[in-house]
Amino acid sequence: MTTAENDPSPPLSAPERETLECVVRNMIPASAEYGVPGADDPRILADILQSIDRDREALGKALRAIDGSADRRLANLPEPEQARRLAAFRVASPDLAAVIESVTARCYYRDDRVMASIGMEVRPPFPHGYEVEQGDWSLLEPVRARGRIYRDAG
Amino acid sequence: MNEPVDVIIIGAGASGAAVAWSLAETRMRIVCLEQGDWPRSSDFPSTGRDWEARTLEDYAISPNRRGLPADYPVNDDDSPIKIANYNGVGGGTVFYAAHFPRLHPSDFRVRSLDGVADDWPVDYRTLEPFYGLNDKMMGVSGLAGDPAYPQKEPVMPAIPMGRTGEKLGAAMNGLGWHWWPSDAAILTEEYEGRAPCINLGQCGSGCAQGAKASTDVTYWPEAIRSRIELRTRCRVSRIETNDANMATGVHYFGGDGREVFQPAEIVIMACNGIGTPRILLNSTSGRFPNGLANSSGLVGKNLMLHPYAQIRGHFDEPLDGYRGPPICIWSMEFYETDPERDFVRGYSYQFSRGLGPVRTAINGMADGLLPWGEGHHAAFRRLFDRSAGMVSVCEDLPEETNRVTLDPNLKDADGIPAPKITYRISGNTQKMLDHSVARGIEILEAAGAHDITARAPLPYAGWHLMGTARMGMDPERSVVNEWGRSHDVKNLFIVDGSVFVTSGGVNPTSTIQAVALYVADQIKSRIYELFD
């Protein structure tokens, strides 16, 4: 059972932050083609670090699993080797990988630049809301024509 | 000790609000105790840029994940389906999708028709006027003429089916299968001072518009105008009884952490299928050593959760995306028992629109559709705004081994023992889940979807909490009688989903509220012989 702690979570240590930055850069790199920053963009990374509250413990476990021994930390590896290690981590520990994916996506996809790039208005849903088409109600004619399908049991 | 009152209602959610409103006309002194607070629409996630993230944080559906002061922990380690709830005025209606189907007539005659479980002691016709009354109080939209139900009249026009409903409805027509616009407790026009839906798409984390019918904006304002007293931040620990085996009141912890006793002539429990057995099992005494109202031994047993399967696909063209009430249409094609299938009873489908960008990314990575690194951005744009799908709501038959007990170690912030869930998916239900996944894939393929994914059971979907204080005529086989009164304690009533005898295969809120209104009506009509 997971029970969230009410006490403030301790911040990530400097080595943990460095590893996380490396992971999120590998996960969502910047793209000139789509005009978006990577998840390691300073503004987005700061948002991630401020938002990990309920996932602090699991995130720390994930980062420790990625780093392994101190002399072979992820950030110290050449880029191709980083990608290989992360691919192996995702296969070996999908639940922990999901924690990092979640904390990253929650912040990356609310960044102004990213929202604009994927065609969203840069605003919350309320108070303006959205338009949704009514749809073609005549599509229900075959359903009506088929008639009653429930059992009458009183 | 507080001043005595006539009626104590425990819980201000779907059923507590309905029973309070109905009993207000008696002019009895009625107090409702609610462990949480009033929700504030200005705090709801859809008012901020972090609207999706907060549904995984302070507005998460799991009380264990939220961990807020109003929440109590639930040990659900021994269940593949994790418990969801909201603790505050409105209860689960603050977080529900407001998909509002009724049970079907056959759901009340399961033993007679299909030879399994038990019949309810009430039937659809008995509850029908209370369904109708509840529809008016909540403000239910829909389209008349659904051939899967006896005739019923929606209060206002249906929510938009949108591109998603059109796409999936056309596929259902091609397969010759039933579908229909959902009844939804969501306003499509102004009603009783409430504004209509503006398609925020965030029904599941509180409706900032107030268009969704949570009871904090429907029943409660009416009930409070009728002099019902609602006390928030009051967590009931146990019910007290006397030598005559009658309830004398309740002990509760106020917001200051002090425990006080509230005397009452009648106690009504409306705490959902986990909160109610928790309090009853915590109310042991020399007279009731196994928990209150538990001479049958069935308090906490027969827990039903409605296992869900989720099937989703992606399309070449944009659909509704994250806009609009998430559920648009339903299907009852596989609801009734069919001897040709390898399971009894059945399930409904609720068809859903797309996801916001955060959920698209999280699900996409989990499902292997969205890679890390190069290719992430292009793949995201193929998924976002282009997904649709369905969940099946599978009927869960009652089994005594599925149960709520008290955790020997885990306690809430007031030191009250927490509930522990022991739950397994039965063989019958598993076959139902498998069937619904296979048919769901057929539907999505017929609609032209690609990259189809399925999850069964959906783990974080334990919304529907039923059966743990079942209703019945036989005191040895049920906890409350056919009008909600405890067999053992004649001034104790239960009106929440605990009293369900079977679960049906649809969302239970409209039935929970119809039962609550029915029990209130019985209390009023039997007031001079209530304790006989």
Side-chain angles (χ1 to χ4, degrees):
Chain A
M1 183 187 55
T2 306
T3 303
E5 299 290 340
N6 289 323
D7 298 333
S9 305
L12 294 185
S13 66
E16 284 176 321
R17 283 201 301 274
E18 190 180 32
T19 301
L20 179 64
E21 181 176 355
C22 190
V23 174
V24 303
R25 182 174 59 246
N26 275 273
M27 184 188 301
I28 309 180
S31 168
E33 181 183 359
Y34 293 103
V36 288
D40 62 335
D41 171 84
R43 204 189 309 167
I44 295 171
L45 189 61
D47 192 11
I48 293 171
L49 292 170
Q50 287 171 9
S51 307
I52 57 175
D53 187 31
R54 286 172 172 76
D55 294 302
R56 175 64 181 88
E57 186 179 334
L59 183 61
K61 191 173 173 186
L63 297 175
R64 286 192 295 277
I66 290 168
D67 262 344
S69 59
D71 59 336
R72 294 285 292 163
R73 292 187 48 236
L74 183 75
N76 297 335
L77 300 177
E79 282 195 6
E81 206 169 325
Q82 287 181 356
R84 277 196 295 276
R85 183 182 287 189
L86 289 171
F89 163 72
R90 293 178 70 195
V91 170
S93 306
D95 290 349
L96 292 178
V99 172
I100 308 182
E101 290 168 349
S102 180
V103 299
T104 306
R106 272 152 34 200
C107 297
Y108 184 79
Y109 283 102
R110 69 184 181 211
D111 180 84
D112 291 5
R113 298 158 290 178
V114 176
M115 288 177 74
S117 171
I118 60 176
M120 293 182 74
E121 296 173 74
V122 182
R123 63 170 175 88
F126 186 81
H128 299 299
Y130 305 103
E131 292 294 323
V132 175
E133 295 170 15
Q134 280 296 319
D136 179 3
W137 299 94
S138 70
L139 283 168
L140 287 163
E141 287 311 317
V143 187
R144 286 196 178 92
R146 183 179 163 198
R148 177 182 132 174
I149 64 167
Y150 70 90
R151 287 187 286 180
D152 193 359
Chain B
M1 187 174 84
N2 292 347
E3 187 180 334
V5 300
D6 296 311
V7 180
I8 280 284
I9 299 168
I10 311 173
S15 60
V19 78
W21 170 81
S22 179
L23 290 178
E25 67 173 294
T26 65
R27 296 293 175 190
M28 291 190 286
R29 182 167 179 203
I30 300 171
V31 170
C32 178
L33 301 175
E34 165 55 48
Q35 65 190 320
D37 222 325
W38 282 91
R40 289 195 301 186
S41 59
S42 57
D43 288 344
F44 287 157
S46 64
T47 61
R49 289 285 302 284
D50 51 357
W51 46 283
E52 275 194 283
R54 289 183 67 199
T55 64
L56 298 165
E57 297 166 359
D58 57 334
Y59 278 73
I61 61 174
S62 164
N64 297 332
R65 171 81 179 171
R66 285 192 309 268
L68 298 176
D71 294 316
Y72 58 89
V74 178
N75 182 347
D76 51 16
D77 289 350
D78 196 19
S79 170
I81 299 173
K82 308 304 178 189
I83 301 306
N85 69 18
Y86 174 81
N87 295 307
V89 178
T93 62
V94 175
F95 274 12
Y96 75 158
H99 186 67
F100 220 61
R102 300 178 180 183
L103 286 180
H104 295 65
S106 61
D107 289 322
F108 299 91
R109 293 287 174 266
V110 174
R111 166 62 67 179
S112 300
L113 292 173
D114 298 320
V116 293
D118 290 297
D119 289 348
W120 289 52
V122 293
D123 59 17
Y124 185 88
R125 294 282 173 224
T126 304
L127 293 183
E128 198 168 29
F130 301 101
Y131 276 124
L133 174 60
N134 190 56
D135 284 355
K136 287 186 173 63
M137 288 302 297
M138 297 290 273
V140 173
S141 60
L143 180 68
D146 186 349
Y149 277 101
Q151 187 176 354
K152 52 186 167 62
E153 291 301 322
V155 180
M156 65 190 73
I159 56 174
M161 72 166 83
R163 295 179 187 176
T164 307
E166 271 190 357
K167 172 74 73 178
L168 298 177
M172 294 296 275
N173 284 347
L175 293 163
W177 291 346
H178 170 269
W179 64 284
W180 201 257
S182 299
D183 286 355
I186 297 172
L187 302 184
T188 52
E189 53 191 37
E190 285 198 21
Y191 185 74
E192 301 292 340
R194 294 165 52 210
C197 177
I198 52 173
N199 301 308
L200 299 176
Q202 294 304 298
C203 306
S205 54
C207 178
Q209 172 78 346
K212 188 185 79 168
S214 50
T215 60
D216 58 310
V217 298
T218 58
Y219 279 105
W220 275 117
E222 293 279 336
I224 288 169
R225 271 196 291 274
S226 302
R227 302 193 310 169
I228 305 290
E229 182 187 352
L230 172 53
R231 295 181 198 158
T232 57
R233 302 186 191 186
C234 295
R235 176 175 281 142
V236 172
S237 54
R238 59 200 162 94
I239 298 167
E240 194 62 67
T241 55
N242 62 18
D243 290 338
N245 288 349
M246 298 287 275
T248 57
V250 305
H251 299 270
Y252 70 90
F253 287 91
D256 58 3
R258 288 191 309 131
E259 191 175 26
V260 295
F261 180 65
Q262 174 60 61
E265 296 295 325
I266 297 172
V267 175
I268 300 177
M269 307 194 71
C271 321
N272 78 42
I274 289 178
T276 286
R278 178 195 185 201
I279 292 174
L280 292 174
L281 294 172
N282 271 319
S283 300
T284 54
S285 65
R287 287 180 292 276
F288 298 100
N290 298 317
L292 193 60
N294 197 22
S295 64
S296 65
L298 292 175
V299 169
K301 294 182 179 173
N302 297 304
L303 174 66
M304 297 175 282
L305 294 176
H306 277 158
Y308 278 39
Q310 181 187 65
I311 312 101
R312 294 193 65 82
H314 298 83
F315 295 82
D316 291 332
E317 68 277 23
L319 298 175
D320 301 317
Y322 51 89
R323 308 162 194 86
I327 303 166
C328 50
I329 60 176
W330 67 36
S331 172
M332 304 295 169
E333 180 66 29
F334 306 106
Y335 197 85
E336 305 282 4
T337 293
D338 180 346
E340 297 295 311
R341 299 185 199 127
D342 62 352
F343 55 86
V344 291
R345 309 297 300 159
Y347 59 89
S348 64
Y349 279 126
Q350 48 187 49
F351 293 83
S352 47
R353 304 181 212 267
L355 308 170
V358 172
R359 292 274 183 184
T360 298
I362 290 172
N363 288 3
M365 288 190 275
D367 291 332
L369 300 176
L370 187 57
W372 286 26
E374 284 299 321
H376 179 95
H377 299 291
F380 181 87
R381 283 153 181 78
R382 286 194 297 273
L383 302 178
F384 181 55
D385 252 0
R386 292 162 189 260
S387 78
M390 71 280 285
V391 297
S392 60
V393 182
C394 294
E395 174 157 357
D396 211 2
L397 291 169
E399 296 180 68
E400 291 189 19
T401 49
N402 288 339
R403 61 195 187 276
V404 179
T405 55
L406 296 178
D407 191 282
N409 304 309
L410 191 66
K411 292 179 170 56
D412 66 23
D414 292 309
I416 306 169
K420 179 177 189 298
I421 310 303
T422 304
Y423 178 86
R424 300 284 180 275
I425 292 173
S426 72
N428 189 68
T429 307
Q430 186 60 53
K431 288 174 184 169
M432 213 182 290
L433 281 167
D434 295 343
H435 187 274
S436 71
V437 169
R439 299 293 86 72
I441 291 171
E442 279 183 57
I443 295 164
L444 290 174
E445 287 177 342
H450 51 81
D451 290 328
I452 296 170
T453 60
R455 290 187 174 90
L458 206 55
Y460 285 92
W463 277 114
H464 304 161
L465 314 171
M466 301 164 286
T468 50
R470 68 202 323 235
M471 175 183 270
M473 312 282 274
D474 181 355
E476 293 186 0
R477 294 288 308 140
S478 55
V479 176
V480 297
N481 70 8
E482 69 275 23
W483 40 281
R485 191 186 73 179
S486 159
H487 290 299
D488 301 346
V489 182
K490 295 193 185 306
N491 62 344
L492 175 67
F493 293 80
I494 303 176
V495 295
D496 57 56
S498 305
V499 304
F500 277 37
V501 180
T502 54
S503 68
V506 292
N507 311 51
T509 302
S510 68
T511 303
I512 289 171
Q513 293 184 303
V515 167
L517 292 172
Y518 163 71
V519 171
D521 192 65
Q522 291 290 306
I523 290 173
K524 288 183 285 190
S525 63
R526 296 170 187 266
I527 196 74
Y528 297 111
E529 51 179 16
L530 198 57
F531 307 142
D532 290 350

